[in-house]
Amino acid sequence: MIHFVGAGCGAVDLITVRGMNLLKKADVVIYAGSLVNPELLEYTKPGCKVFNSAEMVLDEIVQEMLSADDKGLEVVRLHTGEPSLYGAVKEQMEELDKAGVSYDSCPGVSACFGAASSLNLEYTLPEVSQTLIITRMEGKTSVPDSEKIKSLASHGASMAIYLSTGLLDKLSEELIAGGYSPDTSAAIVYKATWPDEKVCPCTVSTLSKTAEENNIKKTAVVLVGEVIGTSDVVRSRLYSEDFSTEFRKATK
């Protein structure tokens, strides 16, 4: 059986209990060595065979999975963060489908949520933003025209922007062109939840300058929106005294 497992965004104890247990029983682990915390491999049992997918191409990864499965072995394909976000898992699953091999998925904590925890941030504040847009700048991987930063910025929602640290000048231009003011709150979070994490508050117009000052060139998520650092919070209706739920009647 093949198990696609989200390793979480960095801290070794942010893998799910299910993911940890799958690692403990795995006979073969193929992990994203360029991004996954190697301390997670300490959960594996003696004799577990480990491959670093950063040194492999797709065909090699798939062949190792198929070979192990053919022998009746338990395989963990350990991806960084949450595999459904920029994880390149679908292309692997399609090859397993062709081979008639069963697999399942175990979710993980993505970087935008690790970054939110580091900032004690809530992305969805009443009357500020009720939407979180997770996206990326166009680079080697193209982006549909309707999903370019300028278009998405027009919503004024909270944004978590991945894989864009080397394009911050252009990112600022696109965000401002889309409708964010230059002084809209932002933050660059480098290696969220890792021991060497850096949290760098800034504004939309100072993204590039902030990254340069903190020597951040990769492995960071960019957060944008008025929810960052706001102190003018409108309380939700959920716990209001004049709001009834199926568990509680309004008292006012």
Side-chain angles (χ1 to χ4, degrees):
M1 183 70 170
I2 314 296
H3 307 282
F4 290 87
V5 176
C9 49
V12 69
D13 57 349
L14 281 180
I15 192 170
T16 64
V17 174
R18 180 185 297 179
M20 177 185 68
N21 287 333
L22 288 169
L23 274 177
K24 285 181 175 180
K25 71 177 185 179
D27 301 300
V28 175
V29 172
I30 305 172
Y31 80 110
S34 59
L35 294 168
V36 168
N37 190 335
E39 291 182 27
L40 286 166
L41 299 177
E42 294 177 12
Y43 287 130
T44 60
K45 63 187 179 184
C48 176
K49 196 170 183 179
V50 176
F51 296 89
N52 180 356
S53 64
E55 302 167 349
M56 305 166 74
V57 297
L58 177 61
D59 285 348
E60 292 172 325
I61 294 168
V62 172
Q63 285 307 310
E64 289 297 345
M65 289 194 285
L66 294 178
S67 176
D69 185 76
D70 190 54
K71 297 172 185 174
L73 303 177
E74 291 289 321
V75 181
V76 166
R77 176 67 174 106
L78 189 63
H79 279 266
T80 185
E82 161 50 43
S84 67
L85 289 174
Y86 309 114
V89 293
K90 187 61 177 176
E91 61 199 47
Q92 299 170 66
M93 293 174 177
E94 287 181 348
E95 293 302 313
L96 296 178
D97 287 338
K98 291 176 185 177
V101 171
S102 298
Y103 54 86
D104 58 22
S105 298
C106 175
V109 178
S110 190
C112 68
F113 303 117
S117 71
S118 298
L119 285 161
N120 292 318
L121 179 66
E122 183 177 353
Y123 289 118
T124 52
L125 291 177
E127 299 185 25
V128 180
S129 177
Q130 289 292 288
T131 301
L132 171 63
I133 296 173
I134 299 174
T135 189
R136 61 169 296 169
M137 281 284 286
E138 186 169 40
K140 292 181 180 178
T141 300
S142 62
V143 171
D145 286 342
S146 61
E147 296 180 16
K148 298 205 187 269
I149 295 294
K150 181 179 177 180
S151 176
L152 297 178
S154 66
H155 298 285
S158 304
M159 294 183 73
I161 303 163
Y162 286 63
L163 304 168
S164 303
T165 315
L167 301 164
L168 293 179
D169 283 323
K170 182 64 174 175
L171 175 59
S172 291
E173 291 177 12
E174 291 295 302
L175 289 168
I176 293 168
Y180 288 105
S181 67
D183 61 354
T184 299
S185 297
I188 303 171
V189 183
Y190 168 77
K191 296 187 74 172
T193 77
W194 288 71
D196 55 345
E197 172 192 80
K198 291 182 183 178
V199 178
C200 305
C202 56
T203 65
V204 165
S205 64
T206 61
L207 286 169
S208 183
K209 178 184 177 183
T210 300
E212 185 176 353
E213 289 174 346
N214 290 277
N215 196 32
I216 298 173
K217 300 177 181 178
K218 60 179 182 178
T219 325
V221 60
V222 177
L223 309 181
V224 175
E226 295 297 344
V227 297
I228 302 171
T230 184
S231 58
D232 187 19
V233 176
V234 176
R235 293 186 179 183
S236 73
R237 301 287 296 146
L238 180 59
Y239 301 111
S240 175
E241 293 175 332
D242 62 353
F243 185 72
S244 295
T245 73
E246 70 175 295
F247 304 104
R248 183 191 73 240
K249 289 186 177 181
T251 57
K252 285 188 179 180

